[in-house]
Amino acid sequence: GFIYNSLSLGYTAVAQSYFASALQMYYGTSFTGYSAIQQPIWLNYVLNSQFCNAVDIIAISSNVLNFANYAVGLQSSIATVLTSDFSSLSILQSNSFASSLLSQTVTTLALTGSAFDYSAFTFNTGSFGYQYINEATVLGNFLSSTVVNYGLSALSSTQAIIVRFNLYTIGTVSAANFNMLFNGANVLSTVITSTDSLHYVEASFAYTASSASQFGLSFGFTSNAAFNWAIGQFAVTYSSAPCGYIFNTVTGGYNAITTSFHSALLQTFYGGVYPGYGVGFQPTWVSHVLGAQFFNGLDIVSIAGTVLNFGSLSSNCVGLMSLSSISQAALSSYNFAAFTQSVGSFSQFGGITQSLAGLFNYGPMAIDLVGFPLSNFGQWTVSSGSLFTSLIGGVNALGYFAPGIVLTRQYLNLGTYNSMATIFQLFVDSTTGFTFTVQANGVTMLQQFMAAGTYSQLFEAQFQLASSNVVLTFSASVASGVSIANAGGWALGSVGFLSNPCDVRSFWNYGVGACQFAGSSVFYAHSFVNYQQAFSYLTAAPTWALAFLTGNVGIANQFFFVNNANVAFLSGLESALVSPLAIHQQQYALLGGNHLFFGLIGSGFDTSYWSLNQGTLATTTIGGVSALGVFGAGTVLTGAWSGLATHASVVLRFRLYAVGAWNNLGFYATLNGQQFFIRQLTVTDEFRDIELQFVHTGSALTLGFGLNAYGATLASNIGFAISNLALYMNPCAIQNTYNVLLNTCMQSGFTSIYSLFRSDYFGQFYGYSGLNLAYLSKFQSLYGLIDDGREIYDSWTGLTSTGQVILELTGSNYDFSNWLVSRTRTAAYTSQLYGGLAFGPYEAATVLRRTFTGLEAHTSLVGRVRVYFVGSWIDQNLVIQAGGVTVFQYILGISNTYQDIEFAFDHTGSSLELAIFSTAGTAAGVRQGIQFGISDFGLYANPCAQRSFFNIGLGSCANTVGYSTFYHLVQTNLAGFFPTVALRPIWLIILSPVSGISALAQEVYSFLSGSRLQVIIGTHGVPQFVDLDLIQRLKDQINDQPAETDTPVASTDELSFLFGRSSKNIVGDYTNGTISNYDTSFDNLFGASVVSSGVNNFDFAFGITTGWACVGLIETADPVTSLDLNASYRDQSKVVCSDSLKQAKTKFAVKIDTDAKTIVFQDQYYSDQSTTLSFTNADNLYFTIQFNNKGTVYFGQSADSYQPN
C-alpha cells in the first residue's frame, strides 16, 4: 500500500494504481529498458490515472478498490468511451489526443533561473527586484501591504488558468490572509502562520472569453504587520479543459484534478519537463510536484476558490535511509520530509531529485554535527562540563574542548557487519600542540600529534572491528610538563560513521551487490558509487562530502588511517576507484544506453578503423599509455565509421600527444575532408585532452587528423599521437546530451562526455569491458570536469556563423600597437591602475582610436571594455563612436574608479573605425586634472540582433536574459570564444558564475536604436534613455525671444502650446515631445496661455533629472514676457515636481477645467500621487516647465517611455 518516495526518502501511500505512482516517481513516461513497441498497451492509460469499475480491477492487500462507474460526471465533446470490450484495446494502445491537446495547453515560466526577467510583474507601490534566500534568486522583498500584479495572455481555447509559484515569508507571519484575485474576483484565500518559511502555491480558476479585455491577476497579503515576502519559480498554464479538470490524452475525456493540476500536466502532457525551457530554467518544484506528496502548511492548492485539505505528515512516512544522525522529532505539518535542517534563519526541507535514487538502499551510515543547529547534538556527551557550539570560519562545530576532556558518541544495535569507519573535521587552536586520539570500544583507531597553531584537518579512520554496539571517544592529551591551561583546545564537526559489511579498504557496491575495493577512503567510494548526489537531501552537507564531490581529496589537510596506520590516499588500484566497471552492467541494459564508440584504449587496441595517407600505422607507449602514432608533418591519420545510429550531432573526445618541441604548430581535424578545427600549440612532450562537437547527421563519418607547420620544416622527432578516443552519436544539438532517465536532451556545455559519464548512473560506459579512460580521473567530481589546464574544447555548426570575438589589451603584457592615441603629447603607454593594467591613463582631451577590418558577417556589434576614470567625472561624458557616429554617450558621475562598459549597436560592414574620448557635460567645460584609460577590450561580431546572441547549443539565435551579451558568450561558448586562458579579459571573472553577474559588479550596458540610446547602470539597473541627436537637431529651435502673450501660435505641432519663451539652456523637440535642460541652475519655459492655445489636457512624464523638474501652469497678472527665465517660480506655480514624488517614474494626465477653475494632475499608475489645484483666472494661466539642474520631461506619446516596468 506504499511506495518509496524518492524526494522525501519516505513512504507515500498508493491511492489507486501502484504503477501510476512508480511511473511518476521513477521512470517518467515509459518503463526503462524497453523499446516503444515493448511498452505495455495500458501505459498511457495508467499515466492518466483515471480509473473506473467498468475497466479496472485493482487490489491492495486483497482489498479491491471501488471506483466510480464512470471517471467523471462532466463529459467532453471529443471523448471516446472506454468499455471492457475488446474494441477498446485500440484506444488503450494510442495516445491519440496528446498532439492536438498540447497546442491548447500552453505553459509560460517566469522567475526561474538565476538572472530572470521580472518586467511582467508590477506592484501597487514601491520598487522591487532580485533578492536572495539561501542563494536562490527570488523577486521581493515585498512589504506585507504590497500587491503584485501580473498580466495574463490566454488563448482563444482557454477555459481555465492555473498559476503555481513559490511563496517565501520572511519574518513571522501570524494568521495573515493571503489572497489571489482574477479580474477582482477572489480565486484563492488562505490564512498563513509561519516564520521564515516556504510555501508551494497553486490556484486553478475558470476563464471565459468575456474577461478577455481584462486579464488582471493580483495577489498579496491583507496585512500591515512587520514582515516581508517574496515569490519565485512562477508558472502559468492556459488550459482548454474546464477548471478542475485536465484532458485525458488517451480517451479525450476529462480527468478530475484531485491534488495538483501540474502533477497531471507534467506526467501526461510534458513528460516531466516544461517544453521550450532549458534545464536551468525548469522550476525547482518539479520533483516535488511529480512526487505528488502534499501536506498542509507546505502546499497551498486551490481549485475554483476551494483550498484543498491534504492533512499533515503521518507517522508512516518514515525515512528510507534510517539516518540516526538526523533528528526526526521535527516532523510536523510544516515539514513534508522526514529530514529537515536550517541554514541561517531560513528553514528548508530535504529532497533527492534524481529519479532512481529512491530505489537504492544507502546503507547504515550516520552523519552528525552538520548544519544550524548541529544535527544530533543530543547524542553526544562530554566527560566534564557541558556541550556547546562554536562558529569557526562560518562552520558550526562542537567545542572547543581542552585536552583531557573526552567526547563520546554511542552507536547501538548496529546488526551484522565486518568493519567500521569514521570521518570528521577537527578544528585545532593550540599554542603548544597535543596528541589527538580516537578510540572505538577502547581500541585506538587513530592517534596523531597536532602541531601548534589554528587550523582544521580532515580525518578518516577504518578499523577491522565489528560490534553491535560501538562507543566512539575523541580526546586530546598534552606532553609531559605542558600545562593544560595553556594548551588551547579542539572542536569537532561533520562526523560520519559507517558500519561496513565489507573488510577495511573495501565498500559495499549496491549496484553490483558485492564488496569492491575502496582504498584509503571508504567514504569517498560511497560518495561516488552509491550516494552520488544523495547528500543533497541535507540543506547543510558535511564538509568532507563537499570536498570529495568537488575533487578535493587526498590534499594536504586530509589524513587517512587504516587499522591505526597513517596511509597515503592513492596507491595502486585506487586510481581506478570510480571506474565504470564498479557499476552493475545490467543497469546499462535497463537504461537503454546511448550510442558511443570507444577506441585506442588500453593495449592491443583495434586499428581496423584507421588508415594513413602515407607510411604505416604504428603504436607507441607514452607515459605508460598506449597511443596510435607517432606521425609527422604531411601525414594525415584518418578514421572511418559507417552504419551509425540516427543522430543530430557528434561528440569527439581524445587525448593528443604532442611529441617533441612544438612551436606554434597547428593540429587540425577534418570532417569528411573539410577542416573544422585547428589549434596552434607551443608545448614540448605534453598531452592535451581535446573534446570537439559538431553538427553531423549522416550514417557514415570520416575524421582526419594532421599537423600544419605553416611552411616551416619540422625536425624528424616532432609529431603527434592520439589515444583514448570516445565518439558519441548524439541525438541532441551540440552542447546537449540525451538523458536516458529523463527521456530528454539536457544541457551539457563543452564537456559532453563528462556529462554522459555522470548522468544515467554511468550507464553509457558499461558495454566496454576493461574500459579505463586515461582522463577518467577528471570525471571524479559532481560539480564539473576537473580541468588540469590541458583541456581543449571547440564546436562547429557547419557553415552557420556563431559570431566572432576579437580581444585586445588583455593579459599581463599586452600589445597596444594597433591603437592610435591622438590630441595629446603623451606617448602610448600602460600603467597599473585600480587593480588592472590600463592603456593610459590619458588627459581628457585624448582620443583613442582603433580600426578593425575583415569582420565576419554580422547583424550587430557588441563591445565590452574596462574604462578607468581618474579624478571627478561627475559632469563629464564618456563617448564611444563607430565610424564617426556616437554609439555611447553618458555622464556616469563617478570618481577614481573603473567601470566595465558593454555597448551594442546595429552594424553590418566588414570594417569598423572605433573612437573613445570624453566631452564636457556642462557649459563649465572639462574639469581640470581628469584622465581616462582602457583595458580588456572585446568586440563581438554578432550574427543576431541586439539583446540576443548565437546559442551554439541551440544552433540558432536566442534572447539574452539580463543585459550582458558577453555573459551568455562566456556561459555557452567559453572555450570557443576565449580559447587562450592567459589572454582572457579581466572581466571574465565577473561573467563566469553560472548564478549570474553579481549585483555588486561595476557594470554599464547600452543599446542603441536609431538615435535613441538606452543606458543601464548596474546588473539590475533600470533603463534610462538618451536622445543622442537632440542637441544637434534642436539647439536653434527655441530662442530667448518673447512671444505674443494672447495670440495662438500658428503651428501644426502637437505640442505647440509649449511654444513661447525659454531659457537658452532648454532644448525642445516638440514633434517627439522631449524637453531637456542642460544647465545646472534655474531654467524656465513659459508657453502659450490656456485661453489662446485652446488646450485643456495633456500627458507628461519625468525623465532623468539631476535636480528637479516641474510641469504645469503658472498664473500671473503680469505679462508673461516679463518673467525671469532663470529665476525660481516653483512656489508661485500650479505644478507637480519630480522631487516631491515617491514614485517619479510614472505618467500624469493633466486636465484643465476652466468652468470649475481646477487643474487635475491624475497619476496613471500611483493614484495616491494625484492632486487637484485651483486657479482664479484662466486668462492669466500659462503653461510652464521649470528646471533646477539638468533634466528631461516627456510629453504625449513619448511619456509612455517612462511608465513603470
Side-chain angles (χ1 to χ4, degrees), residues 466-484:
S467 174
S468 60
N469 299 314
V470 173
V471 178
L472 279 187
T473 60
F474 302 79
S475 62
S477 59
V478 296
S480 177
V482 176
S483 171
I484 291 179

PDB file of all heavy atoms in Angstrom, residues 466-484:
ATOM      1  N   ALA A 466      34.108  -5.140  14.598  1.00  0.00           N
ATOM      2  CA  ALA A 466      32.669  -5.261  14.374  1.00  0.00           C
ATOM      3  C   ALA A 466      31.994  -5.614  15.682  1.00  0.00           C
ATOM      4  O   ALA A 466      32.288  -6.649  16.283  1.00  0.00           O
ATOM      5  CB  ALA A 466      32.377  -6.321  13.321  1.00  0.00           C
ATOM      6  N   SER A 467      31.117  -4.753  16.125  1.00  0.00           N
ATOM      7  CA  SER A 467      30.376  -4.983  17.351  1.00  0.00           C
ATOM      8  C   SER A 467      28.994  -4.371  17.178  1.00  0.00           C
ATOM      9  O   SER A 467      28.844  -3.322  16.524  1.00  0.00           O
ATOM     10  CB  SER A 467      31.092  -4.352  18.553  1.00  0.00           C
ATOM     11  OG  SER A 467      30.297  -4.458  19.713  1.00  0.00           O
ATOM     12  N   SER A 468      27.978  -5.009  17.745  1.00  0.00           N
ATOM     13  CA  SER A 468      26.624  -4.490  17.574  1.00  0.00           C
ATOM     14  C   SER A 468      26.446  -3.143  18.242  1.00  0.00           C
ATOM     15  O   SER A 468      25.577  -2.359  17.870  1.00  0.00           O
ATOM     16  CB  SER A 468      25.600  -5.487  18.117  1.00  0.00           C
ATOM     17  OG  SER A 468      25.833  -5.720  19.502  1.00  0.00           O
ATOM     18  N   ASN A 469      27.269  -2.858  19.256  1.00  0.00           N
ATOM     19  CA  ASN A 469      27.249  -1.553  19.921  1.00  0.00           C
ATOM     20  C   ASN A 469      28.657  -0.978  19.905  1.00  0.00           C
ATOM     21  O   ASN A 469      29.616  -1.667  20.289  1.00  0.00           O
ATOM     22  CB  ASN A 469      26.752  -1.682  21.366  1.00  0.00           C
ATOM     23  CG  ASN A 469      25.337  -2.213  21.447  1.00  0.00           C
ATOM     24  OD1 ASN A 469      24.462  -1.761  20.724  1.00  0.00           O
ATOM     25  ND2 ASN A 469      25.120  -3.195  22.315  1.00  0.00           N
ATOM     26  N   VAL A 470      28.790   0.248  19.459  1.00  0.00           N
ATOM     27  CA  VAL A 470      30.098   0.894  19.358  1.00  0.00           C
ATOM     28  C   VAL A 470      30.076   2.190  20.147  1.00  0.00           C
ATOM     29  O   VAL A 470      29.134   2.998  20.011  1.00  0.00           O
ATOM     30  CB  VAL A 470      30.480   1.179  17.888  1.00  0.00           C
ATOM     31  CG1 VAL A 470      31.767   2.001  17.812  1.00  0.00           C
ATOM     32  CG2 VAL A 470      30.638  -0.121  17.119  1.00  0.00           C
ATOM     33  N   VAL A 471      31.107   2.372  20.978  1.00  0.00           N
ATOM     34  CA  VAL A 471      31.284   3.623  21.706  1.00  0.00           C
ATOM     35  C   VAL A 471      32.532   4.297  21.155  1.00  0.00           C
ATOM     36  O   VAL A 471      33.657   3.779  21.300  1.00  0.00           O
ATOM     37  CB  VAL A 471      31.427   3.384  23.220  1.00  0.00           C
ATOM     38  CG1 VAL A 471      31.652   4.718  23.935  1.00  0.00           C
ATOM     39  CG2 VAL A 471      30.207   2.678  23.775  1.00  0.00           C
ATOM     40  N   LEU A 472      32.338   5.435  20.463  1.00  0.00           N
ATOM     41  CA  LEU A 472      33.465   6.213  19.934  1.00  0.00           C
ATOM     42  C   LEU A 472      33.836   7.290  20.935  1.00  0.00           C
ATOM     43  O   LEU A 472      32.949   7.993  21.459  1.00  0.00           O
ATOM     44  CB  LEU A 472      33.098   6.872  18.611  1.00  0.00           C
ATOM     45  CG  LEU A 472      33.152   6.056  17.320  1.00  0.00           C
ATOM     46  CD1 LEU A 472      32.923   6.968  16.121  1.00  0.00           C
ATOM     47  CD2 LEU A 472      34.481   5.341  17.168  1.00  0.00           C
ATOM     48  N   THR A 473      35.123   7.453  21.194  1.00  0.00           N
ATOM     49  CA  THR A 473      35.601   8.529  22.066  1.00  0.00           C
ATOM     50  C   THR A 473      36.630   9.356  21.330  1.00  0.00           C
ATOM     51  O   THR A 473      37.444   8.827  20.561  1.00  0.00           O
ATOM     52  CB  THR A 473      36.206   7.977  23.364  1.00  0.00           C
ATOM     53  OG1 THR A 473      37.314   7.119  23.050  1.00  0.00           O
ATOM     54  CG2 THR A 473      35.162   7.216  24.170  1.00  0.00           C
ATOM     55  N   PHE A 474      36.584  10.661  21.557  1.00  0.00           N
ATOM     56  CA  PHE A 474      37.507  11.616  20.960  1.00  0.00           C
ATOM     57  C   PHE A 474      38.156  12.397  22.091  1.00  0.00           C
ATOM     58  O   PHE A 474      37.450  12.947  22.959  1.00  0.00           O
ATOM     59  CB  PHE A 474      36.767  12.580  20.026  1.00  0.00           C
ATOM     60  CG  PHE A 474      36.009  11.904  18.912  1.00  0.00           C
ATOM     61  CD1 PHE A 474      34.763  11.313  19.148  1.00  0.00           C
ATOM     62  CD2 PHE A 474      36.538  11.839  17.638  1.00  0.00           C
ATOM     63  CE1 PHE A 474      34.059  10.701  18.123  1.00  0.00           C
ATOM     64  CE2 PHE A 474      35.832  11.225  16.604  1.00  0.00           C
ATOM     65  CZ  PHE A 474      34.604  10.650  16.850  1.00  0.00           C
ATOM     66  N   SER A 475      39.486  12.472  22.096  1.00  0.00           N
ATOM     67  CA  SER A 475      40.160  13.159  23.194  1.00  0.00           C
ATOM     68  C   SER A 475      41.512  13.680  22.743  1.00  0.00           C
ATOM     69  O   SER A 475      42.037  13.281  21.692  1.00  0.00           O
ATOM     70  CB  SER A 475      40.338  12.212  24.386  1.00  0.00           C
ATOM     71  OG  SER A 475      41.159  11.110  24.021  1.00  0.00           O
ATOM     72  N   ALA A 476      42.081  14.572  23.530  1.00  0.00           N
ATOM     73  CA  ALA A 476      43.403  15.135  23.269  1.00  0.00           C
ATOM     74  C   ALA A 476      44.218  15.078  24.556  1.00  0.00           C
ATOM     75  O   ALA A 476      43.675  15.214  25.660  1.00  0.00           O
ATOM     76  CB  ALA A 476      43.297  16.566  22.766  1.00  0.00           C
ATOM     77  N   SER A 477      45.528  14.911  24.431  1.00  0.00           N
ATOM     78  CA  SER A 477      46.425  14.888  25.592  1.00  0.00           C
ATOM     79  C   SER A 477      47.682  15.667  25.265  1.00  0.00           C
ATOM     80  O   SER A 477      48.113  15.718  24.104  1.00  0.00           O
ATOM     81  CB  SER A 477      46.771  13.441  25.966  1.00  0.00           C
ATOM     82  OG  SER A 477      47.403  12.778  24.877  1.00  0.00           O
ATOM     83  N   VAL A 478      48.256  16.287  26.283  1.00  0.00           N
ATOM     84  CA  VAL A 478      49.461  17.100  26.097  1.00  0.00           C
ATOM     85  C   VAL A 478      50.672  16.340  26.585  1.00  0.00           C
ATOM     86  O   VAL A 478      50.573  15.378  27.369  1.00  0.00           O
ATOM     87  CB  VAL A 478      49.335  18.445  26.833  1.00  0.00           C
ATOM     88  CG1 VAL A 478      48.210  19.268  26.244  1.00  0.00           C
ATOM     89  CG2 VAL A 478      49.135  18.234  28.325  1.00  0.00           C
ATOM     90  N   ALA A 479      51.823  16.766  26.129  1.00  0.00           N
ATOM     91  CA  ALA A 479      53.078  16.130  26.543  1.00  0.00           C
ATOM     92  C   ALA A 479      53.370  16.436  28.004  1.00  0.00           C
ATOM     93  O   ALA A 479      52.835  17.395  28.588  1.00  0.00           O
ATOM     94  CB  ALA A 479      54.223  16.615  25.655  1.00  0.00           C
ATOM     95  N   SER A 480      54.205  15.634  28.590  1.00  0.00           N
ATOM     96  CA  SER A 480      54.576  15.815  29.991  1.00  0.00           C
ATOM     97  C   SER A 480      55.200  17.192  30.187  1.00  0.00           C
ATOM     98  O   SER A 480      56.063  17.630  29.405  1.00  0.00           O
ATOM     99  CB  SER A 480      55.573  14.720  30.418  1.00  0.00           C
ATOM    100  OG  SER A 480      56.001  14.928  31.751  1.00  0.00           O
ATOM    101  N   GLY A 481      54.759  17.876  31.236  1.00  0.00           N
ATOM    102  CA  GLY A 481      55.298  19.194  31.552  1.00  0.00           C
ATOM    103  C   GLY A 481      54.572  20.347  30.901  1.00  0.00           C
ATOM    104  O   GLY A 481      54.844  21.507  31.205  1.00  0.00           O
ATOM    105  N   VAL A 482      53.660  20.067  29.991  1.00  0.00           N
ATOM    106  CA  VAL A 482      52.886  21.121  29.318  1.00  0.00           C
ATOM    107  C   VAL A 482      51.613  21.379  30.111  1.00  0.00           C
ATOM    108  O   VAL A 482      50.890  20.441  30.459  1.00  0.00           O
ATOM    109  CB  VAL A 482      52.545  20.734  27.867  1.00  0.00           C
ATOM    110  CG1 VAL A 482      51.663  21.808  27.227  1.00  0.00           C
ATOM    111  CG2 VAL A 482      53.811  20.529  27.062  1.00  0.00           C
ATOM    112  N   SER A 483      51.353  22.623  30.396  1.00  0.00           N
ATOM    113  CA  SER A 483      50.168  22.985  31.164  1.00  0.00           C
ATOM    114  C   SER A 483      48.919  22.870  30.294  1.00  0.00           C
ATOM    115  O   SER A 483      48.866  23.425  29.187  1.00  0.00           O
ATOM    116  CB  SER A 483      50.306  24.411  31.702  1.00  0.00           C
ATOM    117  OG  SER A 483      49.087  24.845  32.273  1.00  0.00           O
ATOM    118  N   ILE A 484      47.928  22.134  30.807  1.00  0.00           N
ATOM    119  CA  ILE A 484      46.665  22.013  30.065  1.00  0.00           C
ATOM    120  C   ILE A 484      46.000  23.377  29.909  1.00  0.00           C
ATOM    121  O   ILE A 484      45.387  23.674  28.869  1.00  0.00           O
ATOM    122  CB  ILE A 484      45.725  21.023  30.796  1.00  0.00           C
ATOM    123  CG1 ILE A 484      46.286  19.603  30.698  1.00  0.00           C
ATOM    124  CG2 ILE A 484      44.313  21.090  30.219  1.00  0.00           C
ATOM    125  CD1 ILE A 484      45.447  18.568  31.397  1.00  0.00           C
TER     126      ILE A 484
END
